[in-house]
Amino acid sequence: MTERRYNAFVDKLREQYGSRLQKLVVDAGFCCPNRDGTLARGGCTYCDNKAFHPSYSTPDKSVSQQLAEGLDFHRRRYPRAEKYLAYFQPYSNTFAPLKRLKELYEEALSFPGVVGLAIGTRPDCLDEEKLDYLASLKASGKVVLLEIGIESCYDSTLEHINRRHSWAQAVEAVEAAASRGLAPCAHFIFGLPGESREMMLEGASKINCLPLGSVKFHQLQIVRGTPMEREFAAHPERFVTWSLPEYIDFFVDFLERLRPDLAVERFAGEVPPRFVNSTPWGLVRNVDLLRMLEKRLEERDTYQGAAL
Ligand code: SF4
């Protein structure tokens, strides 16, 4: 833990690697089993991947070209960053044969300044062979951040939003990754339909039992054109919604219940306004969100794990 009142992943990375690691998004053209017909075609009801990645990363460009353009973009914003991670973000980035994964990942790792990979995927797209390979990359000195999208601690929600995997599968994937020293990150969404504030807070105790290294959270944002948008219009009563101060207070309550050694990579985030049907918080930058969280923790004189 640093002097902050919560365990910030950015501090942990800086301690481990001596400097900020800037992520460069790569769209390597993966799909996901919930979209290509392996499990389903419709996808998760909130999903529109276009909303979650920058314009420089498009799959018609090679991995190296995307990294070069991403580097150019970020160098102007963060001139002091020296080390980069290739962030395989859109869709499910382990959903391909291992041979293909190796080609893509190794192209990224050979790019100057790239010291490792961040890989977003689903719990059911990680088999032993892939995990062994990722563990071998890590053992060779590369940074490997494996982000497993779990989204909810409740099977009823996972079913309702058409995730097509269960909580038990998520636990199994996290345990398999952790047993190989990968210290996985899990991603969750707050505000999914059918979940009360209390259910979300109780989720902390389920998350605390997982052998995770870090966690990442987002508030639900209703993306235009998704089935979730139609559900929200027809049944707003199924959704918990927050003003920004309410969400900050909710997250402070959640943090109090969260294991202190779990590093928090993100607690909220906004997709570009053109993709969402409303921007109830206005346009808040991440740095302002973090400032507000830290201020509220101070005001309430509390910290991560205080309620455990
Ligand atoms: S959220 Fe992920 S798993 Fe769900 S449909 Fe979109 S890409 Fe597939």
Side-chain angles (χ1 to χ4, degrees), residues 173-195:
V174 169
E175 286 176 348
S179 70
R180 289 163 170 84
L182 286 167
C185 171
H187 182 262
F188 296 92
I189 301 174
F190 290 129
L192 289 168
E195 292 195 4

Side-chain angles (χ1 to χ4, degrees), residues 32-35 42-44 46-49 90-92 122 163:
C32 112
N34 206 8
R35 287 194 166 275
C44 308
Y46 57 85
C47 171
D48 176 355
N49 267 271
Y91 299 97
S92 300
R122 290 169 51 93
R163 279 292 293 180

Side-chain angles (χ1 to χ4, degrees), residues 28-47:
F30 290 105
C31 190
C32 112
N34 206 8
R35 287 194 166 275
D36 77 347
T38 306
L39 293 169
R41 291 217 174 264
C44 308
T45 60
Y46 57 85
C47 171

Side-chain angles (χ1 to χ4, degrees), residues 190-191 217-221 240-251 266-271 276 278-286 288-290 292:
F190 290 129
F217 304 96
H218 276 92
Q219 80 282 20
L220 176 69
Q221 286 184 277
V240 172
T241 54
W242 294 273
S243 66
L244 180 51
E246 285 167 348
Y247 183 77
I248 302 270
D249 257 319
F250 159 76
F251 193 71
R266 185 180 269 275
F267 81 101
E270 295 212 286
V271 299
V276 285
S278 72
T279 50
W281 296 355
L283 295 175
V284 204
R285 295 180 314 158
N286 277 329
D288 296 321
L289 288 168
L290 288 172
M292 292 168 87

Side-chain angles (χ1 to χ4, degrees), residues 26-243:
V26 174
D27 183 341
F30 290 105
C31 190
C32 112
N34 206 8
R35 287 194 166 275
D36 77 347
T38 306
L39 293 169
R41 291 217 174 264
C44 308
T45 60
Y46 57 85
C47 171
D48 176 355
N49 267 271
K50 284 197 294 301
F52 300 104
H53 68 108
S55 54
Y56 64 75
S57 65
T58 53
D60 55 318
K61 299 174 193 164
S62 70
V63 168
S64 306
Q65 192 182 349
Q66 292 181 52
L67 290 171
E69 290 181 25
L71 199 65
D72 193 43
F73 175 83
H74 283 286
R75 278 223 171 109
R76 276 180 267 129
R77 299 175 89 199
Y78 307 106
R80 279 183 301 169
E82 288 166 4
K83 294 179 183 172
Y84 297 90
L85 299 177
Y87 185 16
F88 289 83
Q89 183 186 31
Y91 299 97
S92 300
N93 294 277
T94 56
F95 184 48
L98 182 60
K99 184 171 173 293
R100 179 70 184 137
L101 298 183
K102 284 184 175 176
E103 286 164 6
L104 293 165
Y105 296 164
E106 285 167 24
E107 180 179 347
L109 288 169
S110 66
F111 194 86
V114 171
V115 296
L117 308 171
I119 301 166
T121 192
R122 290 169 51 93
D124 52 1
C125 291
L126 288 165
D127 58 31
E128 297 205 343
E129 208 187 21
K130 290 172 188 170
L131 288 168
D132 285 343
Y133 168 66
L134 294 177
S136 74
L137 284 181
K138 188 163 182 184
S140 74
K142 303 296 181 194
V143 181
V144 178
L145 304 181
L146 183 62
E147 295 183 6
I148 305 177
I150 301 179
E151 318 312 353
S152 169
C153 301
Y154 300 98
D155 280 333
S156 54
T157 311
L158 293 172
E159 198 172 320
H160 184 78
I161 63 173
N162 198 40
R163 279 292 293 180
R164 299 274 176 152
H165 69 72
S166 62
W167 172 252
Q169 281 174 289
V171 173
E172 201 181 310
V174 169
E175 286 176 348
S179 70
R180 289 163 170 84
L182 286 167
C185 171
H187 182 262
F188 296 92
I189 301 174
F190 290 129
L192 289 168
E195 292 195 4
S196 64
R197 195 178 186 281
E198 290 63 40
M199 283 172 78
M200 291 178 241
L201 290 177
E202 279 164 22
S205 60
K206 298 181 85 173
I207 295 169
N208 287 343
C209 294
L210 298 177
L212 291 163
S214 59
V215 275
K216 206 169 173 181
F217 304 96
H218 276 92
Q219 80 282 20
L220 176 69
Q221 286 184 277
I222 310 281
V223 177
R224 276 199 201 125
T226 58
M228 187 72 84
E229 184 186 37
R230 294 190 285 281
E231 181 179 2
F232 186 66
H235 297 286
E237 74 285 357
R238 290 183 186 160
F239 295 76
V240 172
T241 54
W242 294 273
S243 66

